[in-house]
Amino acid sequence: MSDRPPNFLFVLADHARYDWLSCHGSVPVRTPNIDALADRGIRLNQTYCNSPLCAPSRACLAAGRRYGRTNVPDNSLDFNPQQPTFMHLLRDGGYRVGACGKLDLWKKSEYKGLEGWTARRGQLGKTDTIDQAGKMDAVRHGSQQPKDASVAYMHANGLTQAHHDDYDTRYEKTGGRAAWACPFAREHHTDDFCGRAALQLLDRFPHGEPWHLQVNFPGPHPPYDAPAELLARYDDVTFPLPVNPDPAINADEHQAVRRQFAAMTEGIDEWLGWLIARVAQRGELDRTVIIFSSDHGEMLGDHGRWGKSKPDMTSVRVPLVVAGTGVTAQATSEALVELIDLSATFVDLAGIGVPEYFDGRSLAPLLRGDTRKHRDHATSGLHRFRVIVDERWKLTRYDDGRVELYDHQADAAELHECSAAQADVVRRLLAALDADA
C-alpha cells in the first residue's frame, strides 16, 4: 500500500434500524455483506444521529456540527452552501468527492438536475454527483416534469404514472403502511437506480487519486415497496412484533410491513456487496475504508409509532459498521458515538486534520483499537425536544419543560419511565445537555 490517503466508501441508508442487521441477532433479516464488514472491522452499537429527521441529520453530518448549529432545523430549509463541510476539506485536500442517491441537503429545492448535477452541488464541496429525490419527493415533484435523475429515468422508461398511482393508492389505503411489492421490476426501483449510479461514479474516478463516495440509498424509507424479487425471500419468515404495538393494527399487518422492511434492507446490503466488489476490481480494497450507517432510525410500530422524528431509542439510534484500511477487527463496541463523528473521521484519516469548529470527534483511535471509550454522552434533537444518552441513561427534555428518563441498559424497550426516582441523574444529564447547547 502506498502513502496515498485512504479512499472512503460511505453507504448511508434512510430509516435503517440499528437492530435490523443479522449480526445484531434480534430479527431474522439477512445482511451478509454488512455482517462481513463487522467481522473484519467494528460494529459501533451505541451510535446516535444528531437529529432524527432526514435534512437536519444530513446537514449536521455535512457540517460536522450538532443540531442547532447548522441552518437546517427541519425539512423546510436548504443547507447554506456558504457553511463549511467535510466535503470542502476533502476536495481541497486533493480528493474526488462523489455522492449519489438522496443527498437531501437541498430538500426544499425541487430541481436537482436531470443528470444529478448542478453547480450548487459543487458549492457543497462535491466534484461528482448523481443526486436524486427521496421516495415521496420524487412523486410529489416529478410526476408531470422530471426534476431529478431518477424521475427522468422513470419518465424515459414509461413508468412515471404507474409509480405515482401506486404511491397514491398506498397512502389512501393505509397512510403509507401498505405492504405490497413494487409494481415494476427490481432494476427500476429507486434503490437500484442509486446503486447503479454509485457504480458509474466509481468508474468515473481516476486511478491514483484518493476518493470519497457517499451512496445515499433512499430505502428502507416508506412507502414499503420492496421489489417482488426481494420480498419473496421473506414469504415464510415471521418477525418479532413491535414493542407495545398499537392494538388497532393486527399482527398480520405488522408482519407484512416487517417483511417489506427486511426485504429493502437486504436489497441495500446486496448493493453494498456489489460496490465492494467493484472497489476490489479497481485494485483499491486495501486502501479503502468502508462505512455503513443511516441518517436516523425508524419506529416501525414500536409504542404505536411509525417513522422518525421521535426521541425514542429506535428513532435516534442508528447502525454504524466500519472496516478497511487502518481499522482493527474488534467485533462490537459499546462506545458512545454521534453520527457527526464520521465527518471528523474522514478528514482525520485523510491527513487533513479536524477543524476546531467541528463538534464531531475523530473515531480513528477507536477504529485502531487504541481506546474503548469515545464520548461521555451523545446528543440528538429536533424542534420540540433534546436527547442526551450516556452509558446507562437516556434523557429527553421537551420544550414545555417535561423530562423523560430511561435506563437503557435495564430497559432497552423504554417501558419504564424513571425520572422521579432518579433526580440526581436528571440534574446531571440536564447540566450536560445545557453545556452542549
Side-chain angles (χ1 to χ4, degrees):
M1 181 175 170
S2 71
D3 293 332
R4 195 183 90 188
N7 307 315
F8 299 97
L9 175 61
F10 177 26
V11 173
L12 187 70
D14 191 340
H15 277 240
R17 280 181 57 136
Y18 76 94
D19 53 348
W20 278 62
L21 306 176
S22 48
C23 54
H24 189 275
S26 57
V27 294
V29 63
R30 290 180 288 265
T31 54
N33 295 294
I34 297 171
D35 297 352
L37 278 188
D39 286 344
R40 65 186 183 93
I42 183 170
R43 179 167 64 89
L44 297 142
N45 193 44
Q46 294 288 339
T47 300
Y48 297 85
C49 66
N50 294 93
S51 183
L53 185 61
C54 303
S57 177
R58 292 162 189 265
C60 291
L61 177 63
R65 308 297 305 277
R66 281 177 164 156
Y67 181 76
R69 296 177 183 171
T70 73
N71 68 308
V72 186
D74 53 37
N75 281 350
S76 68
L77 293 175
D78 289 342
F79 187 85
N80 181 356
Q82 301 304 312
Q83 184 163 0
T85 68
F86 77 83
M87 299 166 283
H88 288 117
L89 296 170
L90 290 177
R91 183 194 62 190
D92 295 346
Y95 272 74
R96 291 292 289 265
V97 183
C100 62
K102 180 186 173 181
L103 276 66
D104 241 15
L105 290 172
W106 281 307
K107 192 173 185 72
K108 184 180 179 182
S109 300
E110 298 172 7
Y111 187 75
K112 303 179 189 327
L114 299 187
E115 295 183 354
W117 171 266
T118 68
R120 294 186 76 186
R121 275 74 195 153
Q123 293 172 5
L124 284 172
K126 302 290 189 186
T127 61
D128 305 82
T129 68
I130 303 177
D131 196 359
Q132 71 185 84
K135 296 176 79 170
M136 290 308 303
D137 287 343
V139 170
R140 288 191 191 108
H141 305 314
S143 292
Q144 299 302 316
Q145 184 71 30
K147 296 178 181 177
D148 77 281
S150 65
V151 178
Y153 169 85
M154 299 293 282
H155 276 269
N157 285 275
L159 299 169
T160 311
Q161 191 61 50
H163 188 39
H164 183 278
D165 292 346
D166 178 56
Y167 273 24
D168 269 359
T169 305
R170 289 174 189 273
Y171 276 86
E172 285 172 6
K173 284 183 176 295
T174 64
R177 292 192 304 277
W180 56 77
C182 172
F184 32 76
R186 181 180 177 183
E187 65 182 291
H188 304 308
H189 191 268
T190 183
D191 286 335
D192 291 81
F193 180 90
C194 175
R196 290 194 302 274
L199 293 176
Q200 291 174 41
L201 291 177
L202 277 173
D203 291 346
R204 191 184 298 176
F205 294 154
H207 289 271
E209 294 182 17
W211 50 263
H212 180 286
L213 177 59
Q214 183 169 325
V215 185
N216 302 276
F217 283 101
H221 190 297
Y224 304 109
D225 65 339
E229 168 193 331
L230 293 170
L231 189 57
R233 301 177 189 179
Y234 289 90
D235 279 350
D236 300 318
V237 178
T238 300
F239 290 89
L241 291 175
V243 173
N244 190 27
D246 180 351
I249 302 174
N250 65 44
D252 288 343
E253 289 178 278
H254 280 299
Q255 289 297 333
V257 168
R258 289 180 163 232
R259 290 182 185 116
Q260 284 276 357
F261 194 81
M264 288 190 287
T265 300
E266 182 172 348
I268 292 169
D269 176 86
E270 205 160 59
W271 269 108
L272 173 64
W274 293 332
L275 292 171
I276 293 171
R278 183 62 60 90
V279 174
Q281 289 172 10
R282 289 172 58 93
E284 295 179 324
L285 200 55
D286 65 344
R287 58 167 60 98
T288 302
V289 180
I290 303 166
I291 307 99
F292 172 79
S293 191
S294 180
D295 58 350
H296 49 71
E298 159 66 57
M299 294 300 297
L300 207 59
D302 286 345
H303 304 288
R305 299 171 185 154
W306 298 87
K308 65 265 186 173
S309 303
K310 317 292 192 300
D312 303 67
M313 185 66 84
T314 50
S315 175
V316 299
R317 191 169 166 188
V318 295
L320 179 57
V321 179
V322 185
T325 181
V327 181
T328 301
Q330 302 171 63
T332 302
S333 168
E334 298 297 329
L336 290 164
V337 173
E338 296 183 12
L339 197 57
I340 56 171
D341 294 334
L342 289 176
S343 315
T345 305
F346 294 143
V347 295
D348 185 19
L349 294 181
I352 295 166
V354 182
E356 290 185 5
Y357 58 81
F358 267 29
D359 298 319
R361 301 178 184 177
S362 175
L363 295 168
L366 194 61
L367 300 181
R368 290 192 301 263
D370 295 344
T371 182
R372 292 179 177 272
K373 188 177 177 68
H374 182 64
R375 288 182 176 273
D376 294 327
H377 56 262
T379 67
S380 186
L382 204 53
H383 277 315
R384 64 184 185 88
F385 62 81
R386 296 292 186 275
V387 174
I388 185 166
V389 185
D390 70 9
E391 292 178 349
R392 178 176 177 182
W393 304 99
K394 173 176 165 285
L395 178 140
T396 301
R397 179 175 65 192
Y398 293 90
D399 59 4
D400 61 5
R402 289 181 299 120
V403 169
E404 290 180 353
L405 182 72
Y406 293 96
D407 181 345
H408 65 82
Q409 287 187 355
D411 180 26
E414 297 184 301
L415 294 170
H416 307 289
E417 201 283 321
C418 57
S419 59
Q422 299 291 340
D424 289 344
V425 173
V426 170
R427 280 192 292 270
R428 174 175 61 81
L429 291 177
L430 285 176
L433 198 57
D434 288 336
D436 282 343

